[in-house]
Amino acid sequence: MTDFSSHRPDWWRQAVVYQVYPRSFADADGDGLGDLRGVTDRLPHLAGLGVDALWLSPFYPSELADGGYDVADHRDVDPRLGSLADFDALAAEAHRLGLKVIVDLVPNHTSHRHRWFREALAAGPGSPARERYVFRDGRGPSGELPPTDWQSVFGGSAWQRVPDGQWYLHLFAREQPDLNWDHEEVREDFRTTLRFWSDRGVDGFRVDVAHALAKDLTEPLRDLATPELAGEDALAHLPPGTHPFYDRDEVHEIYRDWRRVLDSYTPPRTAVAEAWVPGARRALYARPEELNQAFNFEYLQAGWDAEEIRTVVTDSLATARAVGASATWVLSNHDVLRHTSRLMLPPGTDDNAWLLSGGHAPRVDEAAGLRRARAATLLMLALPGSSYVYQGEELGLPEVADLPVEVLQDPLWEQTGRVRKGRDGCRVPLPWTTTGTSYGFGESGAWLPQPPYFARYAAEAQEGVQGSTLELYRTALRLRRKLLDGEELGWLRDGTPPGVLAFARHDGWRCVTNLSAAPVPLPPGEVLLSSVPLDGDGLLGPDTTVWLG
């Protein structure tokens, strides 16, 4: 068995990383908002689960214009979530328990409350302070039109006008002005940020919107001429590397520079890119001289279809291998529907329309969704590479689709004119106990309401219960450590029925998933683990995964 323990510098290659969204994980001070001390208190849960690392979503000072990704200070802690001393205590306890710590880095933009942006507004047009951001004069007789047709991810123009008449670029919310990565002061500041957290013991970084830093800011700025494709969809309609603000070739020089900083530590710090780009382009971010890994969103977006998943897995392994990286796999995160619900939606279902219906059109069978999610998890954990687990999926939590609009916190709701319901449904605070005002999340209520059915998903309700989703994750992660060896996979096609995925790993252990609607013969071999109990009739039921020795 290959040693992928935490003592290896390449521990990340086959790690299981647990994503913590701090505001929704655990509340230690009883104000209804999760905090760093709450995370520290619950670290034994992660150690007992068997993950290798935790990834902390942003905990920096923020007005929450985008769930914490509008950062006012990249080198501090939001006082509502704690202090730098609390962070140090968290990191120390995580390391004592054998857990690595990864923090979110948000380099594309700052909050409009960042001191740099406040300086830029005060300094006026043409000032050095404005050069750190992307300010431009508008078009039209009085500069009343945006400089280009570029669109924000959150809808509408990506430009916001300020009182003196200039416009600034914001690819996301208007409270998130984009930084100018052609400016050396911006680059040096993020080198300082990398060192700041690395010096505090951070083992790696998750890089937000990694594909957007480099922009073509040569004058005149060019329109995309296709406003309906002015976001990431336009990547498919332009030659690779030529989009004015997404996935430009120049972005890789930034990450090569970062790698020199990350490699100056012993062991070297790792990083993973959030890069919403096609597979072959995504792999470039994961090169050894850049960020090591990049999130594989094709896998997250794949339907519950054997051939589609086989193609995605095959292509993902090949593209990662081509650059010397390991593949990454993820089923849920803080931005998407929880997979317990998502995998049950019929192909072609619009996620937002489903949320606007309160989860009623179509209605998702809760038990069937959990069965499919458990099968998907065992399939993911059997694949070569790193798996990223989102908080609460080890409890089998579904999406809370019926949150009333009056409690929504995600700014997407207001910023899109109440058209997109947003991401609150996957960010509802976790249930730890079966009773209490917030099911053990904290001493008082929670910042988003938890539905009554959360009680049966609580960690307390599943602790030590044979067959529970929590115990399935614990068993799978414990067994995975014993079985892991190498990063190869061989598809088993001979005799495999349609709708079934089967592959072998290194010394012959196999993973078989029945994605069809009918039972199929169970292949021979010792059943090491199954996503649901088997009936003993020699059949593998629908939506079921087994690991065979």
Side-chain angles (χ1 to χ4, degrees):
M1 181 178 70
T2 302
D3 175 20
F4 280 102
S5 72
S6 62
H7 300 293
R8 289 178 56 106
D10 59 351
W11 61 269
W12 46 268
R13 292 192 69 90
Q14 299 222 59
V16 176
V17 180
Y18 186 101
Q19 181 189 358
V20 170
Y21 191 75
R23 291 170 174 81
S24 298
F25 192 67
D27 172 21
D29 62 12
D31 65 354
L33 191 69
D35 46 47
L36 294 187
R37 287 198 296 116
V39 177
T40 304
D41 291 345
R42 293 292 183 178
L43 286 178
H45 173 79
L46 303 190
L49 192 62
V51 301
D52 300 290
L54 70 149
W55 149 31
L56 288 166
S57 291
F59 50 84
Y60 313 111
S62 171
E63 66 174 319
L64 303 182
D66 183 21
Y69 285 87
D70 49 312
V71 179
D73 187 340
H74 292 84
R75 298 191 287 273
D76 204 353
V77 175
D78 191 307
R80 292 168 293 181
L81 274 65
S83 64
L84 283 171
D86 291 326
F87 177 86
D88 292 342
L90 187 161
E93 180 62 8
H95 290 148
R96 188 187 72 80
L97 293 170
L99 298 167
K100 299 290 189 182
V101 178
I102 296 170
V103 299
D104 233 305
L105 193 65
V106 187
N108 179 68
H109 45 259
T110 71
S111 165
H112 67 153
R113 295 185 175 183
H114 191 284
R115 64 177 180 84
W116 276 2
F117 194 72
R118 288 187 280 111
E119 289 174 9
L121 291 183
S127 63
R130 289 205 174 181
E131 290 302 315
R132 300 182 187 122
Y133 293 91
V134 184
F135 278 87
R136 290 292 186 275
D137 294 329
R139 297 185 293 191
S142 304
E144 72 278 8
L145 299 176
T148 69
D149 66 358
W150 301 353
Q151 298 290 292
S152 163
V153 171
F154 290 164
S157 174
W159 296 94
Q160 178 69 29
R161 201 175 193 189
V162 299
D164 59 40
Q166 280 204 310
W167 300 71
Y168 68 85
L169 178 68
H170 61 92
L171 293 183
F172 292 84
R174 61 180 177 272
E175 296 89 351
Q176 295 169 288
D178 280 46
L179 287 164
N180 172 16
W181 274 87
D182 289 340
H183 198 296
E184 178 54 32
E185 192 173 354
V186 172
R187 297 191 179 214
E188 181 55 32
D189 191 70
F190 273 89
R191 294 184 198 110
T192 300
T193 296
L194 290 170
R195 295 187 187 101
F196 180 87
W197 294 111
S198 296
D199 289 344
R200 301 189 96 91
V202 162
D203 302 285
F205 299 87
R206 178 264 190 186
V207 184
D208 185 61
V209 198
H211 59 300
L213 275 58
K215 299 174 176 70
D216 181 5
L217 300 178
T218 55
E219 296 289 351
L221 297 181
R222 56 190 171 102
D223 284 338
L224 280 165
T226 51
E228 72 278 7
L229 296 175
E232 292 160 5
D233 290 341
L235 287 173
H237 299 267
L238 292 171
T242 67
H243 190 281
F245 51 84
Y246 282 139
D247 191 37
R248 294 191 58 79
D249 291 336
E250 301 96 306
V251 77
H252 298 288
E253 188 278 324
I254 296 170
Y255 299 129
R256 286 191 291 271
D257 179 59
W258 285 16
R259 176 46 56 193
R260 288 188 286 272
V261 175
L262 300 175
D263 281 352
S264 69
Y265 289 85
T266 304
R269 292 350 187 200
T270 189
V272 58
E274 182 207 27
W276 289 87
V277 298
R281 294 287 298 183
R282 183 186 66 243
L284 301 179
Y285 295 79
R287 288 177 289 194
E289 65 273 21
E290 294 192 29
L291 297 177
N292 291 151
Q293 286 189 324
F295 282 128
N296 176 2
F297 294 113
E298 284 93 340
Y299 184 74
L300 183 150
Q301 294 170 327
W304 192 243
D305 177 85
E307 288 308 310
E308 183 179 358
I309 293 175
R310 189 199 315 272
T311 299
V312 166
V313 169
T314 299
D315 292 347
S316 299
L317 289 173
T319 54
R321 190 180 301 116
V323 297
S326 63
T328 63
W329 316 104
V330 60
L331 289 166
S332 288
N333 64 37
H334 65 290
D335 280 336
V336 300
L337 300 183
R338 287 189 176 275
H339 66 276
T340 301
S341 301
R342 188 186 72 250
L343 290 174
M344 291 303 298
L345 296 178
T349 300
D350 180 86
D351 291 353
N352 185 58
W354 181 73
L355 286 173
L356 289 172
S357 79
H360 300 301
R363 186 177 295 276
V364 169
D365 184 317
E366 189 177 327
L370 182 56
R371 180 185 179 106
R372 185 168 287 184
R374 289 163 60 109
T377 293
L378 284 199
L379 169 60
M380 176 182 75
L381 293 176
L383 294 170
S386 296
S387 294
Y388 286 77
V389 173
Y390 180 51
Q391 64 177 42
E393 70 173 76
E394 79 278 15
L395 305 177
L397 290 182
E399 183 80 6
V400 183
D402 58 353
L403 287 171
V405 295
E406 59 267 21
V407 306
L408 297 181
Q409 301 289 320
D410 190 344
L412 268 175
W413 175 243
E414 295 294 342
Q415 290 173 1
T416 60
R418 301 192 172 190
V419 171
R420 291 170 61 186
K421 195 172 183 182
R423 301 156 292 182
D424 288 318
C426 66
R427 300 176 180 182
V428 175
L430 298 190
W432 294 98
T433 61
T434 58
T435 58
T437 55
S438 62
Y439 302 107
F441 171 68
E443 293 182 359
S444 59
W447 66 281
L448 281 171
Q450 301 154 300
Y453 63 76
F454 261 33
R456 64 176 175 268
Y457 288 99
E460 180 184 60
Q462 301 189 46
E463 181 79 34
V465 177
Q466 185 175 3
S468 70
T469 303
L470 175 58
E471 294 301 334
L472 174 68
Y473 269 73
R474 287 175 173 171
T475 302
L477 293 177
R478 186 167 57 247
L479 186 57
R480 183 180 185 271
R481 286 181 182 270
K482 296 178 180 179
L483 294 173
L484 279 184
D485 189 11
E487 298 178 22
E488 298 302 316
L489 173 153
W491 294 109
L492 304 174
R493 292 181 176 272
D494 292 345
T496 299
V500 174
L501 281 179
F503 57 84
R505 295 290 310 274
H506 42 80
D507 60 353
W509 73 279
R510 292 159 290 154
C511 176
V512 182
T513 302
N514 182 7
L515 295 91
S516 75
V520 298
L522 181 68
E526 177 190 3
V527 176
L528 304 176
L529 185 63
S530 62
S531 58
V532 294
L534 301 179
D535 293 332
D537 54 6
L539 296 176
L540 182 65
D543 297 340
T544 304
T545 296
V546 292
W547 293 358
L548 300 170

